[in-house]
């Protein structure tokens, strides 16, 4: 686990920034308050090089009292293998809502990174939850923002629970 080497939990989302709406960023900020030593890596191709996008995201975290130094923005047109290797930096994936991840969830799970998802009422808001259910991690799909934060906090506090998917998901 990256947490074993770093001494802190690293959350990650490699979803498209347009999915990172205010509600998502507010919930992620609450997670960062609840797990005060954690980091949150955000990555999506080269989009986060754009000052308008990167600063907008970091500005919302700053507004919510979270230091931008805790939110590394990765920006690269990685080859597929290199992109997947970036998941070696992450302990826990955070899904976006109401437009959940599909490809990003597949990739995180393939790399042994469990993903927390907030289920909604529409097909696209339940895609990640469906994937999690199929790999035996259905308990990481929650129904409220509070449950999302609680799930992230609880999972971050249980490194043994993180080791099993890391070793066996693929």
């Amino acid at each position: 686990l990256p947490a074993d080497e770093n001494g802190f939990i690293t959350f990650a989302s490699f979803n498209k920034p347009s999915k990172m709406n205010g509600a998502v960023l507010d919930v992620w900020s609450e997670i960062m308050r609840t797990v005060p030593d954690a980091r949150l890596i955000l990555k999506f191709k080269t989009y986060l090089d754009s000052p308008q996008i990167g600063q907008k995201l970091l500005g919302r975290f700053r507004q919510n009292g979270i230091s931008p130094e805790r939110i590394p923005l990765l920006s690269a047109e990685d080859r597929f293998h290199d992109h997947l290797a970036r998941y070696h930096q992450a302990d826990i994936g955070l899904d976006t809502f109401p437009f959940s991840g599909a490809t990003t969830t597949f990739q995180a799970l393939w790399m042994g990174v469990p993903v927390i998802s907030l289920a909604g009422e529409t097909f696209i808001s339940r895609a990640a939850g469906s994937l999690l259910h199929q790999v035996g991690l259905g308990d990481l799909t929650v129904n409220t923002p509070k449950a999302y934060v609680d799930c992230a906090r609880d999972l971050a506090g249980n490194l043994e629970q993180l080791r099993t998917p890391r070793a066996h998901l693929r």
Side-chain angles (χ1 to χ4, degrees), residues 61-110:
F61 284 108
R62 192 178 296 110
Q63 251 183 323
N64 288 329
I66 306 302
S67 169
E69 288 77 34
R70 295 178 60 200
I71 319 289
L73 302 179
L74 303 183
S75 189
E77 275 296 338
D78 291 331
R79 292 176 313 167
F80 187 62
H81 179 270
D82 296 328
H83 168 71
L84 290 178
R86 302 262 189 179
Y87 282 101
H88 293 309
Q89 300 173 43
D91 295 294
I92 302 168
L94 298 178
D95 193 20
T96 53
F97 54 88
F99 196 106
S100 73
T103 302
T104 53
T105 304
F106 274 122
Q107 291 171 348
L109 295 173
W110 177 252

Side-chain angles (χ1 to χ4, degrees), residues 136-151:
L137 295 175
D139 58 326
L140 299 182
T141 302
V142 297
N143 295 312
T144 67
K146 181 186 181 321
Y148 189 106
V149 172
D150 292 346
C151 184

